[in-house]
Amino acid sequence: MTKDRTRHMSTEMTCQELVELITEYLEGTLAPSERMRFDAHLSTCSGCAAYIEQMRMTIRMLGEISEESMSADAQRELLATFRSWKAGAAQRDA
Amino acid sequence: MDATTAVPPTDELELVLALRGGDEAAFTMLVRRYQAAMLQVALTYVPSRAIAEEIVQEAWLGVLQGIGRFERRSQLKTWIMRIVINRAKRRGSEEARTIPFSVMQPARDDFSPLVDPDRFRGPSDPWPGHWWSPPASWSQIPEDRLLSREMFEHMRHALDHLPERQREVITLRDVLGYSGAEVCNVLAISETNQRVLLHRARSRVRAAVERYLQQ
């Protein structure tokens, strides 16, 4: 913490408060006054700057973890499902 | 999903009409576009990949049977995901009755603090509520460690241990990249609820990543 202690006021955001507001901050749903307190805290606190960086990185990493694709068997089965659905639909239309 | 970049984007209405007409190419395109996401969503509710694949198969049949009635009051993507979720939830509760699925269920949530309170200074400290044990910057950690297979496995494990509602939201939002509004639509939850669940889920996954990096 690099803050000047004499500037410490009761309205100043604490780190513990900040970590609970971080999603609202990232989502842009914090009230303007809260956002100001958040930004003011963030600009002077390296711990919270690291926390928000970790949160952003976590979100980015989550976007990379999906590697799900269907097995070849499942793909073939899916096509068979489609063809029999189509045949059934054609029969009903006839 | 990458598959969408391989094919020029086609207007949703065209796809719906083509599918109604039994166009196999339209079906294949939809499958390529959505099936990975469908599988990911199904895995949110059931513990096994084989069951999740069956759910996706069933969901596609549901899509085909319902496409004639699809009225475009919602986006096609939203409508398809709702079908997946309905089947997966039904299947998930059936599985829970037949096998001891409780190992996958997390401890009851959900009012525990998201960051260990011991990491903050106590009330008698001149700086109460400020970091005692601040988080370290990850900027010096090489990308290939952050984006390694081990890391992703660890993160998936963390996702598996989230309460189901948190897992639903974070999977759609952060893993699959849905917007907040889309998530609210698919899951039929309020914006506030979506945000609270997302916050809890993200905070937990961040903590899991931090623990992994400290090992």
Side-chain angles (χ1 to χ4, degrees), chain A residues 56-67, chain B residues 1 147 152 155 170-171 173-177:
Chain A
R56 288 198 163 111
M57 192 62 207
T58 301
I59 295 165
R60 216 191 107 202
M61 289 156 77
L62 280 165
E64 306 275 341
I65 68 171
S66 175
E67 43 140 38
Chain B
M1 305 286 102
L147 304 177
F152 290 164
M155 292 176 81
I170 200 171
T171 299
R173 269 306 291 276
D174 292 343
V175 180
L176 297 174

Side-chain angles (χ1 to χ4, degrees), chain A residues 26-66:
Chain A
L26 294 174
E27 297 276 282
T29 51
L30 269 188
S33 60
E34 289 285 86
R35 190 169 183 95
M36 275 172 67
R37 289 175 69 225
F38 194 107
D39 280 329
H41 179 102
L42 200 59
S43 65
T44 58
C45 178
S46 58
C48 285
Y51 190 87
I52 199 166
E53 172 208 273
Q54 290 187 359
M55 202 63 144
R56 288 198 163 111
M57 192 62 207
T58 301
I59 295 165
R60 216 191 107 202
M61 289 156 77
L62 280 165
E64 306 275 341
I65 68 171
S66 175

Side-chain angles (χ1 to χ4, degrees), chain B residues 15 18 37 48 55 61 73 87 95 110 121 124-125 147 172 196 199-200 205-206:
Chain B
L15 273 176
S48 117
I55 289 165
L61 186 60
R73 250 184 258 127
R87 315 241 151 187
E95 297 294 324
D110 207 14
R121 295 164 189 266
S124 56
D125 189 280
L147 304 177
L172 290 168
V196 170
H199 178 67
R200 302 199 73 83
V205 176
R206 184 215 64 85

Side-chain angles (χ1 to χ4, degrees), chain B residues 71-199:
Chain B
E71 284 172 3
R72 292 173 51 80
R73 250 184 258 127
S74 55
Q75 273 194 310
L76 187 59
K77 176 166 84 165
T78 305
W79 181 70
I80 291 177
M81 284 310 161
R82 282 201 191 132
I83 294 177
V84 177
I85 291 171
N86 283 339
R87 315 241 151 187
K89 276 190 170 168
R90 201 183 311 151
R91 191 63 187 268
S93 56
E94 281 166 20
E95 297 294 324
R97 280 196 295 275
T98 53
I99 53 166
F101 183 40
S102 57
V103 276
M104 227 186 100
Q105 296 299 330
R108 256 186 301 139
D109 217 31
D110 207 14
F111 301 101
S112 53
L114 297 167
V115 179
D116 183 352
D118 288 348
R119 296 186 65 170
F120 300 101
R121 295 164 189 266
S124 56
D125 189 280
W127 291 98
H130 289 254
W131 292 108
W132 178 254
S133 158
S137 169
W138 291 349
S139 58
Q140 298 307 310
I141 298 174
E143 282 257 313
D144 55 6
R145 175 139 197 248
L146 288 173
L147 304 177
S148 66
R149 191 157 19 138
E150 289 85 349
M151 174 64 85
F152 290 164
E153 253 164 51
H154 193 77
M155 292 176 81
R156 284 195 204 98
H157 184 78
L159 290 178
D160 285 346
H161 284 78
L162 291 175
E164 184 174 281
R165 299 182 64 218
Q166 292 178 28
R167 190 165 57 242
E168 289 174 324
V169 171
I170 200 171
T171 299
L172 290 168
R173 269 306 291 276
D174 292 343
V175 180
L176 297 174
Y178 281 45
S179 69
E182 286 173 327
V183 175
C184 292
N185 255 323
V186 170
L187 299 175
I189 56 176
S190 72
E191 223 175 282
T192 308
N193 205 355
Q194 190 260 155
R195 212 163 42 234
V196 170
L197 292 165
L198 182 65
H199 178 67

